[in-house]
Amino acid sequence: MVPYLLTGLAVVVAFIIHWFAPKSFWGATLMSSAVILLLSIAALYIFQASGVLISERTGENVDFSGHLLFITVSIGFFGLLVSVFVGWFLRVMRAP
């Protein structure tokens, strides 16, 4: 369920930022990618602290502190892709 929540959050953030900055595509893309990265990392820590992230194998709370660099790079790349595709979609929809 957590990946779906984070994906929905990423799409909403990218949509809002690209909607309000239609002229500066790459500026809006970088801004929304950074916001997606920060919100996703914060959400992962909140989900971990609340006990939502539970390992299916052991049934214990997941500790991802050893893999934080990989998670950050993955979320950053995912945020960039989402932002580019949402911005591109809005650009095509607004084209005269």
Side-chain angles (χ1 to χ4, degrees):
M1 179 160 159
V2 173
Y4 298 122
L5 291 173
L6 292 178
T7 302
L9 176 73
V11 169
V12 168
V13 165
F15 185 84
I16 289 171
I17 291 177
H18 278 284
W19 185 264
F20 287 113
K23 300 293 183 198
S24 60
F25 178 77
W26 289 110
T29 298
L30 292 177
M31 168 85 89
S32 66
S33 296
V35 171
I36 289 168
L37 178 66
L38 292 175
L39 288 177
S40 296
I41 295 295
L44 284 176
Y45 277 112
I46 291 169
F47 289 144
Q48 182 185 18
S50 67
V52 173
L53 295 178
I54 297 176
S55 174
E56 294 177 2
R57 191 172 30 151
T58 62
E60 298 175 357
N61 197 6
V62 176
D63 180 30
F64 56 83
S65 59
H67 305 288
L68 193 58
L69 179 64
F70 176 71
I71 292 170
T72 303
V73 169
S74 298
I75 291 175
F77 180 70
F78 173 72
L80 181 67
L81 283 179
V82 167
S83 183
V84 166
F85 288 136
V86 168
W88 212 359
F89 173 76
L90 285 177
R91 181 179 259 185
V92 168
M93 294 304 291
R94 287 183 173 182

